[in-house]
Amino acid sequence: FFQREFTRIMTAEQFNKQYAYSIRHMHGKEGKRASYTPYNCTKIVLGNPPQSGVEHHGCPYKHYDDSNLGALLGKLKIGNAGERDAIMALKKEGNFQLACAKHFEVMHPSASSVEGVNLDGVGNHPNSWFTSSVQYHQAKAGGDGTTSMEAVKSEGAV
């Protein structure tokens, strides 16, 4: 997965030299074989911003400027113009996690009333956002657990 995604912006050789070992190490496949937990949203927001053009991490609500984030939300078709404005207003107020939660709410209508969807942690941890999104799509597809990841990918996760 990582190689396929990274080789969109670099060669396979560059990926292997710069990232492959680190990814295997972070997932417990190399080195001391410890699996590390990912950062929560607070740590991401308060941490170092990505270096432009060099690093590809961070919180888009914290680390993107208003014009780039607004354009991205529009390009990904996140809600309607009013909903995007509400997300951007939260971002501009410095409520990055609330902006993220609003994004989830817009992309998952009535998620709080869908059985089998646990919204604990949405806006507080990227993994919770993802897990809740998968649960939502599975419940909407009939709850059989066979939901295609294409449905999750196409919803426009930032």
Side-chain angles (χ1 to χ4, degrees), residues 21-48:
Y21 177 83
S22 295
I23 290 170
R24 289 192 310 270
H25 179 77
M26 292 298 291
H27 290 275
K29 307 293 182 197
E30 296 278 347
K32 70 178 187 175
R33 303 200 182 276
S35 186
Y36 298 95
T37 58
Y39 292 158
N40 63 30
C41 292
T42 302
K43 180 134 180 143
I44 293 169
V45 166
L46 296 176
N48 293 330

Side-chain angles (χ1 to χ4, degrees), residues 24 38 41 55 81 104 127 129 131-132 148 151 155 157:
R24 289 192 310 270
C41 292
E55 298 178 330
F104 187 91
N127 289 10
W129 202 106
T131 300
S132 297
S148 166
E155 79 176 20

Side-chain angles (χ1 to χ4, degrees), residues 56-127:
H56 307 281
H57 70 278
C59 170
Y61 298 103
K62 165 72 175 179
H63 299 119
Y64 281 29
D65 64 38
D66 292 350
S67 62
N68 286 336
L69 181 60
L72 180 62
L73 293 175
K75 179 181 176 185
L76 294 175
K77 298 181 175 115
I78 307 298
N80 59 39
E83 291 166 329
R84 287 191 297 272
D85 289 345
I87 292 170
M88 291 302 296
L90 290 167
K91 182 248 194 276
K92 289 174 184 175
E93 294 168 1
N95 295 317
F96 310 116
Q97 291 169 268
L98 293 178
C100 181
K102 179 68 174 173
H103 173 174
F104 187 91
E105 178 186 315
V106 165
M107 297 308 297
H108 304 84
S110 307
S112 60
S113 63
V114 175
E115 189 173 334
V117 178
N118 180 357
L119 298 177
D120 292 345
V122 171
N124 293 317
H125 202 289
N127 289 10

